[in-house]
Each structure stands twice: as structure tokens, then as C-alpha cells.
Amino acid sequence: MTRSIVDIHILQNVPPSNMNRDDTGTPKSAYYGGERRARVSSQAWKRATRKQFEQLLPPEELGVRTKRVVEALAERITERDATVADNAVKLAEEALSVATGSTLEVPKRKAKDDDGNGGVLPESKYLMFLSRRQLDALAAIAVSESAGGDPAILKAELKNKEKKARARAAIDTRHSVDIALFGRMVADAADLNVEAAAQVAHALSVHRSEVESDYYTAVDDLSGDSESGAGMIGTVDFNSATLYRYAAVDVDELHRNLGVGLDPKQPPSTPAAKALTAFLEAFITSLPSGKINTFAHHTLPAVVVVKLRDRWPLSFVGAFETPVPKSASGGFLRGSCDQLAEHITEMERAYGLGSDPTWVFRVGEETKGLAGLGSALTLETLLKQVGTAVAERLESGA
């Protein structure tokens, strides 16, 4: 069966930083090709991408992932009908229990602080991912079925098979862009799970990378001239790297997750095409923020290669199984581009994939090794052309 897969390949230089650390505070790493590489976990970059969505999409297009779902729903119930504010928490708890099948209770670590006046609210046992539209839909049900805000009446009403189905449907339709892309697991109701349309790889340095340590001191501003020494001393680990980043988006799955949208005037492909464009821009421009005040590692990619495939996703990390050597003038970007271009050409020739549409964004003379893959575009043009191509693919049913 023909598929529509968008592959994103990125090369990005990152200066000394510790954007994604392990439990010891050391930058994460991995062995690949027999050499230690700098690594940034997929979870870290997904989180950064989701945060970047806040700059690109309106709030109603995004979701909330939290254990504090009772609090989030209670706020929306109160916004919808302020007269039920006193019972909003109980209404939210009942509606969520029925809709998700989840047990909601005050965590033991917080129970000792409960003064009996609603100061500590029930939570879910795991992070629950709901779109703002889903929370609004469930809030509407809680208000309309509670006869003025009576939790007992709501509980009785939601025992009705049809109304219970409505409550479950409220959180299983109108998924947000981030839920559609990254998926959702509801441990107590597998039928509410959402299959992720996007896969994000752990970013790896294209060369061997070692961890270094910075010894620092801080001076007490109020210490006198006679008081020598530092007010505080410490160390922070860091590394620097040229990273290869990769992600793949199953456009068909994204289209299934989002549906055709609420506007009958727009083409059915519009929600998926817009979501994909937002993901592309957010993934390209995002950056995990660990220790960012210490290192200010603000950089953007030097290379972005996007492929629209019709069979399967394909990472080109194999281009760097042999570490890229430092160039004669220093740096790894030129060698990275040369190895990547050679690997892409060989893999696509061998597997008959050379006809897949390709878009290239690159910056600087050192990226010219990728010139043979396609004309260098501005990022704005790349986003527009990929979005158009995806919409056309979906509309044609290819």
C-alpha cells in the first residue's frame, strides 16, 4: 500500500552545552560506530518541539499533559458556569472518572497537607494528555448533566449508556496537533490511546565526543576586602557537537488522528498539512533548554533535508557510523555534508528511492557538498512547498 512519509534530516552545530543531562548531571552520550558520541534524547527534543508549538499555533490547537487533570477541568467548568464553582472539582472528578476509567485521588505525598477545604486536589496516577477542546467538551457535559452543579445528579446521569458514550467520545475526538503527532496512552482505557504520527530519533554527534568539566566560583557581593575566597565553588559538565537529527512523520496517520477539521469550506487535507508544517518549523527551530542560562547554546541548523516518501521512513544516520574527521581548517560540518550526500546517493540508488521529492535548506559554503540533492531553499519556501506537496498527496489519495 502506498504511504506518505515525511523524513526530516538535520545537521546542527551546538557549542559547549549541557542541554540534556543524565542522573549524574553529565551530558547524555551513546556509543555508535565504536565511538562515544554526544546524545540528546528524543524525549528532550519532543518536549522542546511542543514548547515551540506555543509560538506557532493558537492554544485551542494544543493539548495539556498533566496529572492535574481534575484542576484543569474544574477551571473550565467554572469558566463555563460560575454558579457551579463550589462543586467544580467534584464535577470534574466524576466526569473524568467516567470518561477515562481512571482512578483519581489525592497523592499520598500531598494528602498530609489536605486541610479538608479543597486545598489539595485529586490527581491521576499518570500524565494524561488531553486537548483543550476535549476538556471544553467534557466541561460542557459536566455542566449540562449536573442540573445546576450537583455531583450526585451528574454521577447518576452518566450511568446512562448513551451519556457515558458521549463523555468518552468527548475526549476521543478533536485531538490537538501535539496529541496527533506524539500520540497518547491512557493506561485505564486502551481504546482511548492515540497512535503517534511522528517518530523522533535521539540526536547523535557525527564525530566522537568527550565530556569536559568547568570549574567555577561565585563571589559573595557583600564580603569585605579582608574576606578572601569564593562564596561558592562547583563544577558543571558539558560537551560540544555537530549533531545529526532525524524525525519521520506518517502523514496518513496524522490525517486519521486529526480528521478533516471543523470548517466545511476548507479541503479535508488542511488540518494535517498545517500540522505537518507546524511540526517541521518547530522541530527545526527548537532547542532543549537544559542549562541554557549557563551556556546560552542558541543555534539553528545549518542543513535541513526533507524527503516525501511513499514506502517507508529512512534515517541516514548510517552516514556517520564512521565518525567524521576534523577538517584541515577545523570543524566537522563540511565533512558531515560530504558523508551525508554520499550516503544518501548510495542508499537511494540501491533501494530505488531516488525519485522521492526532496527539499534542501542549507547555510554557508561548508554545506555545498549537499548541492547535488537539490536547490537550496529558504526555510519559508521549504515549509510552504512541503505543506503544498503533502496536501496534494492527501487530496489525490496517493
Side-chain angles (χ1 to χ4, degrees), residues 309-312 346-356:
R309 303 201 180 279
D310 58 13
R311 297 175 68 183
W312 53 65
E346 291 180 352
M347 289 292 291
E348 292 189 336
R349 181 188 299 119
Y351 286 93
L353 303 173
S355 61
D356 290 330

Side-chain angles (χ1 to χ4, degrees), residues 94 98 141 145 153-168:
E94 186 61 43
V98 171
I141 292 173
E145 300 297 335
I153 292 177
L154 177 63
K155 183 175 183 178
E157 290 295 322
L158 291 183
K159 288 182 178 179
N160 176 280
K161 190 174 182 179
E162 183 178 331
K163 292 180 179 180
K164 181 178 180 179
R166 273 183 57 213
R168 289 180 75 84

Side-chain angles (χ1 to χ4, degrees), residues 274-355:
K274 289 178 64 176
L276 175 69
T277 302
F279 174 78
L280 271 173
E281 184 171 358
F283 182 63
I284 291 168
T285 60
S286 61
L287 197 65
S289 58
K291 293 284 186 182
I292 201 159
N293 289 336
T294 302
F295 292 102
H297 52 269
H298 301 284
T299 64
L300 289 169
V303 169
V304 179
V305 178
V306 179
K307 298 268 187 178
L308 177 57
R309 303 201 180 279
D310 58 13
R311 297 175 68 183
W312 53 65
L314 179 60
S315 168
F316 293 134
V317 70
F320 310 111
E321 196 266 344
T322 299
V324 175
K326 184 174 65 174
S327 68
S329 58
F332 298 97
L333 184 57
R334 185 183 296 271
S336 301
C337 292
D338 293 341
Q339 287 188 201
L340 181 59
E342 181 179 0
H343 182 79
I344 291 174
T345 301
E346 291 180 352
M347 289 292 291
E348 292 189 336
R349 181 188 299 119
Y351 286 93
L353 303 173
S355 61

Side-chain angles (χ1 to χ4, degrees), residues 162-230:
E162 183 178 331
K163 292 180 179 180
K164 181 178 180 179
R166 273 183 57 213
R168 289 180 75 84
I171 60 172
D172 197 29
T173 54
R174 302 181 72 182
H175 295 304
S176 60
V177 168
D178 42 3
I179 291 175
L181 283 162
F182 299 126
R184 177 180 75 185
M185 185 186 76
V186 182
D188 300 297
D191 58 312
L192 298 179
N193 291 349
V194 178
E195 188 71 22
Q199 299 175 344
V200 177
H202 292 241
L204 286 177
S205 65
V206 302
H207 50 82
R208 60 178 61 90
S209 176
E210 297 297 333
V211 173
E212 301 179 71
S213 186
D214 176 41
Y215 171 83
Y216 65 87
T217 64
V219 177
D220 188 328
D221 288 344
L222 297 183
S223 62
D225 294 339
S226 62
E227 299 177 78
S228 62

